[in-house]
């Protein structure tokens, strides 16, 4: 379950959420170091989970390319450009508003070609065989594709104190919703109705959507 964030969310069960230390390695830095360690030129992120991890933003749609030299591009369309610039530019991302008339594959192919990418890390556990075949067909010839999902999973598994505190807060929201929901159950209730009631209560108590 994901949760909404506000100033009041900095306190959980009466305890202030810890702010990340000033010297704590940023996620972008960690991803850049991963790319460099694999002797790759760039990392392509397309899944919601990985985009959320890389950007710390949950309300964006697009595609992210992180280069071994530290550059990071986030490509999206006009619907998300303003919020993307507000949230991502301070983190070091270059936000690009992709014209809707330009296919995503064409933009990505041109971007990788201009950057001289020869070794590209990609989310192998996310793409289907057909999607991976289309990716290879649309991108420049000569690119070597390196699986990245396993290494991304290792990075995401390492939680900061703040992330742990927010996971606890999410659990408290679920528990609160369940306490209200259980007395509402009755013989004959459908699974769809039960799910709708529980999801509604979790939203009321602060979640963004079911995980």
């Amino acid at each position: 379950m994901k949760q909404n964030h506000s100033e009041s969310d900095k306190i959980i069960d009466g305890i202030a959420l810890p702010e990340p230390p000033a010297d704590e390695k940023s996620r972008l830095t960690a991803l850049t170091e991963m790319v460099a360690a694999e002797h790759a030129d760039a990392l392509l992120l397309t899944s919601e989970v990985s985009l959320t991890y890389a950007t710390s933003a949950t309300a964006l749609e697009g595609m992210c390319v992180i280069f071994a030299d530290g550059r990071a591009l986030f490509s999206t369309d006009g619907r998300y450009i303003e919020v993307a610039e507000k949230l991502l530019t301070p983190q070091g991302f270059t936000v690009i508003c992709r014209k809707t008339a330009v296919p995503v594959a064409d933009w990505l192919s041109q971007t990788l070609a201009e950057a001289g990418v020869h070794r590209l890390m990609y989310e192998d556990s996310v793409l289907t065989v057909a999607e991976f075949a289309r990716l290879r067909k649309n991108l420049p010839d000569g690119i070597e594709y390196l699986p990245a999902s396993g290494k991304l999973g290792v990075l995401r598994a390492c939680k900061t104190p703040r992330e742990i505190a927010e996971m606890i807060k999410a659990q408290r929201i679920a528990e609160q919703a369940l306490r209200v929901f259980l007395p509402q159950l009755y013989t004959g209730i459908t699974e769809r109705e039960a799910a709708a009631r529980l999801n509604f209560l979790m939203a009321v108590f602060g979640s963004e959507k079911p995980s």
Side-chain angles (χ1 to χ4, degrees), residues 8-136:
S8 61
D9 288 336
K10 295 182 179 180
I11 298 178
I12 171 174
D13 292 347
I15 302 175
L17 294 176
E19 292 292 342
D23 59 349
E24 181 179 274
K25 185 183 299 182
S26 72
R27 291 174 177 178
L28 182 54
T29 299
L31 290 167
T32 298
E33 291 179 353
M34 181 190 77
V35 175
E38 293 301 306
H39 304 289
D41 299 309
L43 166 67
L44 173 64
L45 299 178
T46 56
S47 71
E48 180 183 2
V49 170
S50 292
L51 290 175
T52 299
Y53 173 77
T55 64
S56 300
T58 60
L60 299 177
E61 289 187 10
M63 170 183 298
C64 183
V65 182
I66 298 174
F67 298 94
D69 62 7
R71 290 178 297 136
L73 305 180
F74 186 88
S75 172
T76 188
D77 60 42
R79 296 172 298 169
Y80 303 98
I81 188 65
E82 290 186 10
V83 66
E85 289 178 341
K86 180 179 179 180
L87 295 176
L88 305 189
T89 302
Q91 298 183 51
F93 288 87
T94 298
V95 178
I96 298 172
C97 183
R98 189 183 65 254
K99 296 181 180 179
T100 55
V102 178
V104 175
D106 290 351
W107 173 85
L108 181 59
S109 179
Q110 180 180 353
T111 297
L112 298 182
E114 291 176 350
V117 172
H118 298 291
R119 288 168 58 86
L120 178 67
M121 299 184 74
Y122 72 101
E123 296 181 83
D124 52 297
S125 68
V126 174
L127 297 179
T128 66
V129 173
E131 288 170 339
F132 182 58
R134 285 197 296 270
L135 177 69
R136 297 189 63 170

Side-chain angles (χ1 to χ4, degrees), residues 18 20-21 24-25 27 157-167:
E24 181 179 274
K25 185 183 299 182
R27 291 174 177 178
C158 297
K159 306 300 183 185
T160 65
R162 182 176 179 83
E163 287 174 318
I164 293 173
E166 291 185 339
M167 290 169 66

